[in-house]
Amino acid sequence: MSSAFTDFLTRNVGEVNEFLSTFFYDKTDRADIERYLYAPLGAFSANAGKRHRPLICMLACAAVGGDFHAALSTAAAIEHFQSAALIHDDIADNGHLRRGKPCVHVTEGVGIAINCGDYALTLVTDAILRDSALADDVKLRVLRELTDMMQRTVEGQALDLGWVRDERYDLTVDDYLAMATLKTAHYSGAVPLACGATIGGGTDGQIEALRSFGLDTGLAFQIQDDLLNLIGEREAREKDFRSDITEGKRTLVAVHALEHADERDELERILASGTTDPVALDRAVEIFERTGSIEFARAHAIELIERAKHTLAGIELDAKCRELLLAMADFFVERLH
């Protein structure tokens, strides 16, 4: 089923990319502003992922009976936030690769990278305010959703960074799930779907059911991302393979292993060391596997997807769009089987 969602992304990504490019090109007649802002930010945006966030926003709009294209500006706003978050994230994590290419702070320096991320944040509201087709009351509702999304994401990032800085090893699985819900689930699933349904004129029941569906699938998406960083193939390797260990990230796998591993002290030392030594990284993964932590995370992601599918069963949606949303849920965890 997930191939249907992949086909949906492939068919529609060009339109999203074309619209996003309008925010970066022919914006200034000053060559230095182009060089230090629009060109690097435009290049980062063009080095696209699958654009699932903007496209599920548009899909949710159609799912409740609205015009698929009516949500395009909001879809762009969400993607601009994604760009800002990733640029800033890469700086905070001292990352080196993003989607197979050097991070902005690597090629342009930290100061310019921060500024590019800051500008992308301004585009979140700008994209909505400049959409003359959206009614003012809808704009306000969408902007409230996006503001809340940004605040929650930053709260989650605060936990993620703070736990590493303060060498916190006393965390529970529930701590991780709360952090990842804040940091990822709202902007990767819940808010794009809720915004799209709002623009499409959905009922409160439809909007909240799609939000709940998005929270569960968004959290599963983050768990999948964490697992791919440890055991994935080409795609994960393009994103700094096993960098979560080097950065000491408190992923679901790491937190579960710290709770259950006989080699807890050894695992703590590896996570605190900042090592890139393949032998040490392999040893951490060996501990994760021995404690059943990788399988635990995989099973939890699949359980979230099943719960999300059950949520959709109780609401009225366009039949074709419902099938695509169910395919999206499968797509988020298909590489975990």
Side-chain angles (χ1 to χ4, degrees), residues 280-293:
L281 300 179
D282 286 345
R283 175 56 179 159
V285 173
E286 181 184 328
I287 295 171
F288 293 155
E289 290 174 337
R290 197 194 65 73
T291 56
S293 300

Side-chain angles (χ1 to χ4, degrees), residues 103-121:
C103 297
V104 180
H105 70 274
V106 172
T107 59
E108 306 296 330
V110 171
I112 286 178
I114 290 172
N115 199 54
C116 285
D118 289 347
Y119 187 80
L121 285 175

Side-chain angles (χ1 to χ4, degrees), residues 128-129 131-144:
I128 306 301
L129 294 174
D131 187 346
S132 60
L134 287 181
D136 287 347
D137 64 321
V138 175
K139 287 183 180 180
L140 284 174
R141 290 179 67 186
V142 169
L143 287 171
R144 288 192 191 103

Side-chain angles (χ1 to χ4, degrees), residues 109-277:
V110 171
I112 286 178
I114 290 172
N115 199 54
C116 285
D118 289 347
Y119 187 80
L121 285 175
T122 72
L123 296 178
V124 176
T125 52
D126 184 68
I128 306 301
L129 294 174
R130 292 181 183 275
D131 187 346
S132 60
L134 287 181
D136 287 347
D137 64 321
V138 175
K139 287 183 180 180
L140 284 174
R141 290 179 67 186
V142 169
L143 287 171
R144 288 192 191 103
E145 290 276 6
L146 295 177
T147 299
D148 186 59
M149 174 193 77
M150 291 188 285
Q151 290 173 342
R152 291 187 178 193
T153 305
V154 172
E155 287 177 346
Q157 178 74 333
L159 293 174
D160 197 22
L161 294 172
W163 289 343
V164 174
R165 188 199 69 180
D166 291 348
E167 299 183 353
R168 294 284 304 279
Y169 296 105
D170 59 337
L171 304 170
T172 66
V173 165
D174 286 343
D175 290 328
Y176 167 85
L177 295 175
M179 179 277 292
T181 297
L182 288 168
K183 181 178 176 179
T184 303
H186 287 282
Y187 94 91
S188 290
V191 173
L193 292 170
C195 283
T198 298
I199 294 165
T203 66
D204 288 346
Q206 288 173 317
I207 293 169
E208 293 312 311
L210 284 166
R211 187 194 309 280
S212 177
F213 174 84
L215 279 174
D216 283 340
T217 55
L219 183 54
F221 179 82
Q222 179 60 60
I223 295 170
Q224 173 188 254
D225 222 36
D226 293 344
L227 285 167
L228 290 174
N229 187 271
L230 297 175
I231 59 175
E233 296 300 332
R234 180 186 61 81
E235 181 177 343
R237 294 173 192 274
E238 288 181 353
K239 296 167 67 176
D240 285 356
F241 189 52
R242 295 184 173 170
S243 60
D244 284 350
I245 301 172
T246 302
E247 295 161 15
K249 291 285 187 182
R250 282 16 172 210
T251 63
L252 181 58
V253 174
V255 169
H256 182 271
L258 286 166
E259 284 188 308
H260 295 90
D262 294 334
E263 308 92 332
R264 178 188 174 102
D265 291 344
E266 181 185 1
L267 182 56
E268 285 186 14
R269 287 195 298 272
I270 295 172
L271 291 172
S273 68
T275 184
T276 58
D277 177 10

